[in-house]
Amino acid sequence: MTVIDISASVMQFLLAFVVVAPLLGAVAALLPAPPGLKGKNPDQAVLRHGVTVTGAVLIAAIVLAVGFDHDHPATMQATTDISWIPALDVRIHLGIDGISLPLLLLTALLTFLCALYSYFKLPAGPSPKAFVALVLVLESGTLATFAVLDLLLFFLAFEMVLIPMYFLIARWGGGQRQAAAWKFILYTLLGSVVMLLGILLIGLKSGTFDMVALATDNGRGLTTSVQVIAVLAIGLGLAVKTPMWPLHSWLPDAHTAAPTVGSVLLAGVLLKMGTYGFVRILLPIAPDGVRTFAPYLAAFAVVGIVYGSLACLALARTGAKGDLKRLIAYSSVGHMGFVLLGIATMTPTGVNGALFANIAHGLITGLLFFLVGTIKDRYGTADLDTLAGATGAALYGRAPRLGALLAFAAVASLGLPGLAGFWGEMLTLFGAYSPAEGLSRPAFRTFMAIGAFGTLLTAAYMLIVVRRVCMGEHTPHSRLSPDDRAPHAADGPEPSGAAGARHAATTPQLADIQTYEAAAWTPLAALTVLAGLWPAVLLGLTDPAVQKLLAGGKS
């Protein structure tokens, strides 16, 4: 079933446009603005250009989704297959199925919302032209990663995003941005070098880099030892990008230093490239190798869940001087741990849960980083003690709509039923209860129990953040000055309600949610509710594709 019947050639064009248009837009952003399109100044013109290009890509992605045959989500659609380097049998092979389509839409949406937000709130830094060009190159590389079906092309797209993200952190970031940017690039590049060796091993041993052909073969053309080496090498590169504990240490620094839109794209899009690689490449192409490492992957995943939550609890406690952006970054380590646990089960339930958690994390954590970036702009700091202790009535009293939205995003992140964060975690834990044949049930049920404990820790630190940032600290009576405890005796009794009025008058107000902020954040909040109440929309796409993937290309 398709919502609108679109011809195959138009679908091919739309997918190619989605991948290539941001790259062409990046080149155009560096050129002088044509006469009549300059607006008030050249900076405004290039920012408008960024909104236009990302908007066009989002519209094309939506039309692609509308024309997608939802009755056959396991079939590759909108495919293009052109020989590029015949000597190496490298092909420009593009296509989408029920696994890649949601990630394509998420990337297009988040990049458009970031461009829209930046039009009104550009981060301090060098030329806006360079900023817009880098965001568009980043979008092109990410979209290509989810659309290509050739292993070498996948690697090129995977690497394409590193340089723009490095410069976004290093040139438009906050404190310690140079060190954070270097840490990001060194970790990811070292992981990528090892990953390339694994990709070359698969290509040379199987005789092809075609991901569809390799998935259909389901590892039958590769010996178990080759699969084990390939999974170790490729998995290491993907684990760095995910990021999996203990290869995660670049992430908190990168998030803390990155500008708001950089954090949104890093959490909402770039982390998904690693987990997508596990599902698209390793599970179907080297199943025996994955089965060998699955218990270890699950163990690292649940350690990451608990470690990320404990790190957040440490940052959230009073007096810790914890940075709110850093706390949300550590929460991502825990959330991506659930994704890795689902993949490690090698079951349709677990993998579907992992893919659902991927999308939910992109929506919810993208919204959280938007909100935290705005709070930092308002207060001039993201220090939790400052936000909680020096704000009078805190967010609920000073910017109630901003406080309410932060509380909504926090409870969505902790997995409240009825919101998007719930389904991915639940399905992942169900998958761990009954892992694939050949995997130890006692071990995976232990991992399930640890993961379930991690959900309690997640609820604990998120509720602490909401209490402190939205409600403020409770100030003990003894710490108040005499003037604050009671009115001066000479003044006589203070009229009823005057104390509250005086306190409100001395509490400076913050600007609440602005129109452009509401435009950038509302889609994420709405989709978080929609995915939570109607999970069949997403699972109806992913489940048939996952079933086919795990069955070795057989529907």
Side-chain angles (χ1 to χ4, degrees), residues 72-432:
H72 301 92
T75 304
M76 282 294 171
Q77 300 178 35
T79 54
T80 300
D81 192 0
I82 304 168
S83 179
W84 184 33
I85 308 175
L88 297 175
D89 193 29
V90 179
R91 310 182 69 80
I92 298 176
H93 192 182
L94 306 176
I96 52 169
D97 63 357
I99 293 172
S100 52
L101 180 61
L103 290 166
L104 206 74
L105 288 167
L106 176 68
T107 302
L109 174 65
L110 280 176
T111 313
F112 170 70
L113 297 180
C114 285
L116 182 65
Y117 183 85
S118 300
Y119 180 79
F120 296 95
K121 187 70 178 176
L122 182 69
S127 161
K129 281 190 171 188
F131 176 83
V132 170
L134 289 169
V135 169
L136 290 174
V137 172
L138 185 69
E139 180 181 31
S140 181
T142 312
L143 290 167
T145 302
F146 299 137
V148 298
L149 297 173
D150 183 276
L151 277 177
L152 286 181
L153 216 55
F154 173 88
F155 178 78
L156 292 177
F158 195 84
E159 294 302 288
M160 184 176 162
V161 303
L162 300 184
I163 300 304
M165 182 52 75
Y166 166 81
F167 281 111
L168 285 173
I169 297 171
R171 303 302 298 277
W172 284 269
Q176 303 296 316
R177 59 180 183 266
Q178 293 290 346
W182 273 111
K183 200 171 185 179
F184 163 76
I185 200 78
L186 288 176
Y187 263 78
T188 48
L189 277 178
L190 287 173
S192 298
V193 169
V194 181
M195 186 172 78
L196 178 60
L197 296 176
I199 287 173
L200 291 174
L201 176 65
I202 287 177
L204 293 173
K205 291 294 184 180
S206 63
T208 181
F209 291 102
D210 188 287
M211 290 159 66
V212 176
L214 288 166
T216 304
D217 187 60
N218 202 219
R220 286 182 285 270
L222 300 171
T223 64
T224 301
S225 58
V226 168
Q227 290 189 39
V228 167
I229 296 170
V231 168
L232 184 61
I234 297 174
L236 191 63
L238 296 173
V240 171
K241 187 67 72 76
T242 298
M244 180 184 77
W245 180 90
L247 304 173
H248 68 283
S249 60
W250 61 269
L251 184 72
D253 292 339
H255 270 308
T256 305
T260 298
V261 295
S263 291
V264 171
L265 292 174
L266 183 58
V269 175
L270 264 69
L271 303 190
K272 312 299 172 283
M273 295 165 63
T275 51
Y276 174 77
F278 275 104
V279 175
R280 176 65 73 198
I281 297 173
L282 295 185
L283 275 179
I285 294 175
D288 293 338
V290 174
R291 191 170 286 104
T292 300
F293 286 107
Y296 305 101
L297 180 62
F300 283 127
V302 295
V303 170
I305 292 170
V306 175
Y307 171 83
S309 299
L310 292 176
C312 290
L313 280 170
L315 289 169
R317 77 178 192 275
T318 304
K321 293 292 181 185
D323 186 284
L324 191 50
K325 286 187 74 176
R326 195 173 189 84
L327 185 147
I328 303 302
Y330 272 111
S331 78
S332 291
V333 176
H335 287 304
M336 299 314 287
F338 278 103
V339 177
L340 290 172
L341 177 61
I343 293 168
T345 67
M346 298 184 72
T347 62
T349 303
V351 176
N352 275 305
L355 293 171
F356 200 105
N358 246 351
I359 300 298
H361 178 264
L363 295 171
I364 297 167
T365 309
L367 178 58
L368 276 170
F369 274 116
F370 267 134
L371 293 167
V372 172
T374 297
I375 291 169
K376 187 174 182 178
D377 289 339
R378 301 275 206 276
Y379 282 101
T381 180
D383 177 72
L384 263 169
D385 289 334
T386 303
L387 295 177
T391 60
L395 277 184
Y396 283 161
R398 305 182 73 191
R401 287 188 290 276
L402 187 59
L405 193 55
L406 178 64
F408 166 82
V411 297
S413 184
L414 63 83
L416 185 75
L419 297 175
F422 170 73
W423 295 105
E425 293 180 4
M426 187 194 72
L427 290 171
T428 292
L429 295 176
F430 277 176

